Amino acid sequence: MAQASSMKLLGARNMTCIVERMEWNNKMDLIAYGTEKGEVVIQRLNWQKIVTFPTPGEDVRVRSLSWQMDETLLAVGYSNGKVALLDAESETIISGLIYDDDIKKVYFSKAINCQETLGSYTCNAKDKHKRFLPKLQPLTNIDPCLKSLDQKSFPKGSPCFLVVIMRSGKVHLLLLGALQAGSIDLTQHVLHPEQFDVYDVRLNGDFNAIYALLRDGQQLKMLHFHNQVLQDCMAPMLELATHCAHILETKNYINDTQQCLTEAWETVQLEMDNKLTKYANSQAYGMISANFLELHVFGFATFEVEEFLFDTLSEKGFKKIANSVDLSLNNLQGLVFKQLNGAAINMFYFLNTIAGFGRMSHFFESLISPEVAVEAMRACGAFYLKVHELQRTIDSLVNDMKLFHAWMIFTILRLSHQEIPDEMVLSEEENVALADLLCAMEPDLDDGSDEDEDAEQPSAGVPTRSKFNLERVGQYLENACLTQLYPVDPNQLWEQMLAENECLGQCPLFVPHDKKLSLVQQRDKMFNAIDAVFHKPTESISASFKLSTAVVCCQLPPMEPEEEQDFVTCSYYVHEAGRCDMLAVTISWQEAMVLEFSRAEDCLLRCTRVQLQPGPFTPQLHEDYYNLRFVDLQFYNESSLSMLAQSTSSMPGVRPHSYFIQFSLSAARNQSTQHHLATLMNLPDATVTHSIHDIPEAAAFKGLDGVCEMLAVSGSRKVATVLSDRKRKMTIFEMEIEEEEEDDTEMSQTSFLEISKESILAINDSDKQD
């Protein structure tokens, strides 16, 4: 057991702002804290700052911090409803979730032990897709600060749950941070929802139940909900969550590729706008096509065309524009052919695997609907067809633009009576194709006349419609139906079969091809179909929460905003060796309760109630010990509970004293009571409160300097951190110092005096600066 007397001061510092939350990493030399500005800072034990993550918005507060077990991933809950996953190693924001309510708490569960939990279901296809699917190409055009391929949209390391608790009483479970693994609204399970508050909600050690500590009217209750789906389907859920995470990654990749496509297309339009579109906007609709066609067929150029070719452009200038446009179009081709095409294939692979899981009804019946999964596959296939349609459209545009550019350079040389190389002379086939291109350069308008459109053009020459028929590609990148459908190839046998047999187009065995939808619309349709696949696990798990036990911990005063409420804080610990879940909760300013829920078949609850006040048979104590109240508490390990207490005084102007208390749970085991879990249990009537001063060798006190307000401990790291001086001073202690080192490392009055001197010097320095 760690003794409070064997504590070594490692350092103390005055912070630049108020610290509102602290959390130690259980394995690494890292502590995270949230400031009043909404920032999250991660630093080492030696005060070296690793990274500072800025606030996500104005007036946003940090509500909760939680490290993933044995990893560098930190979950942060904010007051604006955002949950962010931050990686201290890469110093990046991995992913985020947005909820429509204030966050109460967010935390990672312990790691799911696959060897014990997977049960009869086994799958040897973990990351098997890497053997079949090529790695997606990196998006060089995307901002590396926003996204990179190496980042994950779900926590790395051992599988675990991410639990998000809202102030409204809603609780959301996410497996691997990706799969929505059920939710519960606690207000539906209380008698007085008008006087409701949630303090904490925890998953039990077997991941088949949750404990909810809440206020129900004037009672502090611990509700135990069992979930049969979580108990029976943990192995299939892990499999499904892994594929869900891969799908989320692919969705993000498709969105990023879509952004790159839009940027590349805007670059094409910008190159055209430099000279060509300015000339096009100065002409009436249809005149460009007519003038160019006349120039091509008869060799006669109008005055406007000659002025454009020789005054506005030149041979070198047009070659420069042609090269820029070709480069942008080639970039567009690569994004569609490599990135988007590869992402569509990956998505189809993962959805096909999920559809296969759905056919194993013994394991996945409550998680996957085979019909919905097949529909998502068909939507993904339709998206893949749309990608190929866009690819063919871009290829056609590239060929047309190359032909148009070659003809323009040829025409400039001919009209300027320069020598024309033989390789620049167009063939008969190219001349026919060019004539078709010039005829289709300005397609017929469906609504409005040319005069109306010309009247609507602004005087500044800003284009209000696309020229040179560029919209045949741009329309795919807009959230609107296509205005120019891709032409049907009469030589395609499949197209002929569809035209002759309408039943084939409606058959669910074939992938539908809606030629009217744009790429953006087809993507959204696919995403909606994918989201529907993951509705069933959420609904099945949510409906499976059943209230099995309600434990009344104590009576609370009515909720009055003007009056000081009773102090309720809690800490949770999973005792693996003892197969029990431990919860420590303060039920008043002077009293705490330690509950141990057994996960064995005996269904026992062990309760230990302690108070800071001395009992009737307590020996004489120091005067401060008679008026102590709780400030904070946390489990140090399975056998010790760390407490932070303050002295209170009715005398005005008396500064309270702070104490660190290390409480031995094993020493207090003889004072605990055992109960069989029932539907309703009233612990105040069935338990006895003991003073911590009357339990032999249970409590070790150590006085602290300043007014301490918050505690963060880590038994695995053997450290404790205390916030004092209005949460502006952080003091770090090393715990469990060896006995032979006590002469040199024992916390003495001298070391506290040094802390006091440091505080006084810091205050004086700040006064001088003011």
Side-chain angles (χ1 to χ4, degrees):
M1 183 193 75
Q3 296 293 332
S5 59
S6 57
M7 296 170 62
K8 175 185 176 181
L9 173 65
L10 293 181
R13 285 200 178 182
N14 290 292
M15 314 305 289
T16 56
C17 56
I18 295 176
V19 176
E20 296 186 334
R21 297 286 181 272
M22 296 188 302
E23 188 76 17
W24 276 102
N25 188 295
N26 73 303
K27 185 179 181 181
M28 302 174 206
D29 178 22
L30 297 173
I31 183 173
Y33 60 88
T35 69
E36 62 177 341
K37 300 177 183 178
E39 299 175 334
V40 176
V41 182
I42 299 176
Q43 70 177 33
R44 295 194 180 278
L45 190 63
N46 60 359
W47 306 99
Q48 176 193 356
K49 282 188 179 180
I50 302 298
V51 60
T52 299
F53 293 97
T55 176
E58 243 183 276
D59 299 326
V60 177
R61 313 296 286 269
V62 178
R63 298 298 192 198
S64 180
L65 299 170
S66 177
W67 289 98
Q68 187 184 1
M69 194 69 68
D70 299 337
E71 297 292 342
T72 60
L73 199 67
L74 179 72
V76 185
Y78 295 97
S79 58
N80 63 348
K82 180 178 181 180
V83 177
L85 300 182
L86 314 178
D87 193 349
E89 184 177 4
S90 62
E91 301 182 7
T92 54
I93 302 175
I94 291 184
S95 64
L97 304 166
I98 300 294
Y99 295 94
D100 55 0
D101 191 19
D102 193 355
I103 302 291
K104 175 69 176 182
K105 184 175 287 189
V106 57
Y107 69 90
F108 285 111
S109 72
K110 70 163 191 171
I112 301 175
N113 192 332
C114 300
Q115 299 297 326
E116 297 177 0
T117 311
L118 289 185
S120 58
Y121 177 81
T122 56
C123 181
N124 299 321
K126 185 178 181 181
D127 292 337
K128 195 175 181 179
H129 66 279
K130 294 181 179 179
R131 296 167 52 187
F132 306 108
L133 300 178
K135 187 176 181 180
L136 295 177
Q137 297 294 319
L139 299 172
T140 56
N141 290 354
I142 212 75
D143 188 351
C145 297
L146 298 177
K147 198 76 178 174
S148 71
L149 257 184
D150 295 333
Q151 295 178 5
K152 302 291 184 181
S153 56
F154 60 96
K156 55 187 178 180
S158 302
C160 63
F161 280 93
L162 178 65
V163 182
V164 182
I165 309 169
M166 320 301 296
R167 287 192 177 273
S168 61
K170 293 182 180 179
V171 183
H172 304 277
L173 277 66
L174 296 96
L175 188 54
L176 301 183
L179 177 65
Q180 293 282 347
S183 63
I184 183 173
D185 188 354
L186 296 175
T187 58
Q188 304 298 318
H189 301 274
V190 296
L191 301 176
H192 305 280
E194 70 282 355
Q195 291 193 31
F196 168 84
D197 195 8
V198 58
Y199 300 106
D200 202 358
V201 179
R202 294 286 175 167
L203 267 171
N204 76 336
D206 291 335
F207 306 102
N208 58 10
I210 63 171
Y211 307 102
L213 182 66
L214 50 83
R215 168 194 276 267
D216 184 4
Q218 297 186 26
Q219 290 182 331
L220 179 65
K221 288 183 177 180
M222 171 66 69
L223 303 183
H224 179 272
F225 296 90
H226 184 263
N227 194 298
Q228 193 64 37
V229 175
L230 289 178
Q231 178 173 320
D232 298 337
C233 302
M234 183 56 65
M237 279 178 58
L238 284 173
E239 193 74 67
L240 183 60
T242 302
H243 285 77
C244 177
H246 292 319
I247 286 175
L248 286 181
E249 287 180 351
T250 310
K251 287 174 67 175
N252 292 337
Y253 187 87
I254 290 175
N255 287 332
D256 292 343
T257 307
Q258 183 82 42
Q259 179 182 339
C260 291
L261 279 173
T262 304
E263 293 175 357
W265 180 244
E266 290 174 351
T267 303
V268 174
Q269 291 180 312
L270 182 62
E271 297 295 341
M272 298 293 291
D273 281 344
N274 286 334
K275 298 288 180 65
L276 301 179
T277 308
K278 288 183 180 179
Y279 162 71
N281 287 327
S282 65
Q283 304 297 310
Y285 195 85
M287 291 302 298
I288 301 174
S289 180
N291 292 336
F292 281 170
L293 196 60
E294 184 180 14
L295 177 62
H296 172 57
V297 176
F298 300 107
F300 175 75
T302 63
F303 174 76
E304 291 82 0
V305 173
E306 285 192 359
E307 184 180 18
F308 167 66
L309 293 179
F310 295 104
D311 295 344
T312 306
L313 285 177
S314 63
E315 180 188 354
K316 292 183 178 178
F318 192 84
K319 284 183 178 180
K320 184 178 179 180
I321 293 177
N323 290 334
S324 299
V325 173
D326 289 343
L327 184 62
S328 300
L329 287 175
N330 289 334
N331 187 23
L332 201 67
Q333 276 183 306
L335 285 171
V336 174
F337 180 72
K338 294 180 180 179
Q339 277 87 349
L340 206 58
N341 188 60
I345 293 174
N346 283 20
M347 184 70 80
F348 191 87
Y349 177 92
F350 296 132
L351 290 174
N352 185 36
T353 306
I354 290 178
F357 289 154
R359 293 184 174 93
M360 293 187 287
S361 58
H362 179 71
F363 298 108
F364 291 92
E365 183 177 9
S366 58
L367 301 177
I368 300 175
S369 174
E371 296 79 12
V372 178
V374 170
E375 192 61 34
M377 281 181 57
R378 298 180 74 240
C380 182
F383 176 75
Y384 184 72
L385 291 178
K386 188 61 65 175
V387 170
H388 273 271
E389 182 181 313
L390 174 60
Q391 182 179 333
R392 293 194 298 268
T393 305
I394 294 176
D395 292 342
S396 175
L397 178 62
V398 169
N399 295 331
D400 290 346
M401 294 306 295
K402 286 182 178 179
L403 181 62
F404 177 72
H405 293 157
W407 174 73
M408 287 292 288
I409 296 175
F410 170 83
T411 302
I412 292 174
L413 294 177
R414 182 175 64 81
L415 293 178
S416 60
H417 305 289
Q418 298 183 39
E419 184 178 354
I420 302 174
D422 294 338
E423 61 268 14
M424 293 190 64
V425 179
L426 301 181
S427 64
E428 183 177 352
E429 276 186 22
E430 290 175 332
N431 280 312
V432 174
L434 179 61
D436 294 337
L437 169 64
L438 296 178
C439 288
M441 184 172 285
E442 292 177 302
D444 295 335
L445 300 177
D446 294 335
D447 52 343
S449 62
D450 293 345
E451 291 77 8
D452 293 337
E453 294 215 12
D454 290 339
E456 293 174 1
Q457 291 184 9
S459 58
V462 179
T464 58
R465 61 181 182 259
S466 176
K467 298 284 184 176
F468 302 101
N469 202 11
L470 295 179
E471 63 267 20
R472 57 177 161 162
V473 172
Q475 62 180 345
Y476 283 89
L477 306 179
E478 298 178 359
N479 191 14
C481 292
L482 301 181
T483 56
Q484 298 185 48
L485 302 183
Y486 188 81
V488 178
D489 188 356
N491 298 323
Q492 281 284 347
L493 180 60
W494 179 250
E495 298 289 347
Q496 297 178 9
M497 293 178 61
L498 286 179
E500 297 171 0
N501 304 276
E502 295 183 359
C503 58
L504 291 179
Q506 302 173 357
C507 179
L509 297 178
F510 299 106
V511 173
H513 185 194
D514 194 336
K515 297 184 178 181
K516 295 182 180 180
L517 295 183
S518 67
L519 181 70
V520 175
Q521 290 177 317
Q522 196 71 66
R523 178 202 62 182
D524 294 342
K525 187 175 181 180
M526 176 183 67
F527 285 177
N528 292 334
I530 292 173
D531 293 340
V533 173
F534 300 109
H535 285 166
K536 185 169 184 179
T538 303
E539 295 170 355
S540 299
I541 297 172
S542 301
S544 185
F545 280 111
K546 304 298 181 184
L547 179 61
S548 58
T549 302
V551 181
V552 178
C553 299
C554 69
Q555 296 293 321
L556 297 175
M559 296 182 69
E560 297 293 342
E562 298 81 9
E563 298 181 4
E564 187 180 25
Q565 301 294 321
D566 270 9
F567 179 68
V568 178
T569 187
C570 57
S571 180
Y572 182 75
Y573 192 91
V574 177
H575 188 191
E576 296 289 356
R579 283 194 51 79
C580 68
D581 305 314
M582 307 171 67
L583 186 110
V585 55
T586 58
I587 57 179
S588 70
W589 287 104
Q590 289 82 26
E591 191 173 350
M593 180 182 290
V594 180
L595 304 177
E596 301 179 36
F597 291 87
S598 173
R599 302 199 306 271
E601 296 180 358
D602 52 12
C603 298
L604 291 178
L605 168 62
R606 182 184 295 272
C607 177
T608 305
R609 289 178 61 184
V610 295
Q611 64 180 12
L612 294 176
Q613 295 172 326
F617 303 105
T618 304
Q620 187 68 24
L621 300 172
H622 188 275
E623 60 179 358
D624 283 345
Y625 291 175
Y626 287 93
N627 298 289
L628 291 178
R629 73 173 190 173
F630 284 109
V631 175
D632 202 356
L633 58 76
Q634 278 192 12
F635 278 104
Y636 182 80
N637 52 32
E638 68 275 1
S639 59
S640 298
L641 183 65
S642 299
M643 304 176 181
L644 196 61
Q646 278 182 12
S647 63
T648 59
S649 176
S650 58
M651 301 286 294
V654 177
R655 191 183 188 191
H657 296 161
S658 298
Y659 294 90
F660 181 90
I661 307 171
Q662 197 76 341
F663 184 73
S664 172
L665 298 175
S666 55
R669 198 166 186 82
N670 292 333
Q671 277 67 38
S672 62
T673 56
Q674 281 192 352
H675 315 269
H676 283 279
L677 289 178
T679 306
L680 179 62
M681 303 175 63
N682 194 346
L683 289 184
D685 297 340
T687 56
V688 178
T689 303
H690 300 272
S691 172
I692 61 174
H693 306 283
D694 296 338
I695 304 176
E697 299 182 356
F701 284 74
K702 181 59 66 176
L704 301 178
D705 180 72
V707 181
C708 301
E709 302 179 67
M710 189 177 294
L711 177 68
V713 299
S714 173
S716 57
R717 293 291 307 158
K718 298 182 180 180
V719 288
T721 303
V722 176
L723 277 183
S724 59
D725 296 348
R726 297 182 179 178
K727 298 183 180 180
R728 288 183 176 271
K729 182 179 177 182
M730 184 182 294
T731 307
I732 301 179
F733 301 101
E734 183 180 357
M735 308 291 289
E736 300 186 55
I737 305 301
E738 298 296 333
E739 292 184 3
E740 56 268 18
E741 301 178 10
E742 286 188 2
D743 293 338
D744 300 327
T745 61
E746 183 179 3
M747 186 173 296
S748 61
Q749 294 298 327
T750 305
S751 55
F752 287 115
L753 181 59
E754 292 172 357
I755 302 176
S756 302
K757 289 179 180 179
E758 183 184 340
S759 302
I760 294 172
L761 290 174
I763 294 172
N764 292 337
D765 292 341
S766 61
D767 291 341
K768 290 179 182 179
Q769 292 176 0
D770 295 338

